[in-house]
Amino acid sequence: ALRAMAHAYVRAGIDRPQMYALLYSTEGAMPEAEPRLLAAKVEALGVCRGVIEAAVADGQLDLATDPETSAHTFWVGAHGLVSLELGGFLVVGRSVDDLLDPLVTILIEGLKEVPA
């Protein structure tokens, strides 16, 4: 489910760059000044948290940290990939398609609890 969510997030960001820029631009109104923008950001993170919490509840994922921190970490990774692609930076060796699955695997493994 985390892999599917990451693919959907990355594809949506790349396929709709104007919407993505509106959500994550550092220019213009701050989220506190625009409640709908803040709600969209909270919802995006909430989807990620929900998928992680479901994986934990199903026994598919043991976390080294809490679900909120894990969701933020996953979100940061996916957001970075989209931002690099939209900024034209992924022209020096690897594409989004080359990087997405390894990124998700690394994030999932990094979220798992290290055995004692």
Side-chain angles (χ1 to χ4, degrees):
L2 282 168
R3 193 169 303 282
M5 181 197 60
H7 277 266
Y9 181 91
V10 169
R11 283 278 49 104
I14 292 170
D15 292 346
R16 294 192 229 132
Q18 293 84 6
M19 177 205 60
Y20 199 79
L22 176 64
L23 281 171
Y24 299 110
S25 174
T26 58
E27 298 176 14
M30 296 305 296
E32 300 80 19
E34 178 52 64
R36 292 176 299 171
L37 182 57
L38 178 58
K41 292 178 183 209
V42 169
E43 182 179 352
L45 183 61
V47 169
C48 187
R49 184 185 332 97
V51 171
I52 289 171
E53 288 173 341
V56 170
D58 289 345
Q60 298 175 356
L61 183 62
D62 291 321
L63 295 178
T65 188
D66 62 280
E68 186 74 16
T69 300
S70 296
H72 274 82
T73 301
F74 207 91
W75 190 26
V76 165
H79 174 70
L81 187 56
V82 173
S83 295
L84 289 170
E85 174 65 11
L86 292 179
F89 294 103
L90 294 180
V91 295
V92 293
R94 297 292 182 267
S95 69
V96 167
D97 293 331
D98 295 331
L99 296 171
L100 183 53
D101 282 328
L103 174 66
V104 172
T105 299
I106 290 166
L107 288 170
I108 290 171
E109 291 305 312
L111 294 175
K112 290 181 180 178
E113 187 172 19
V114 178

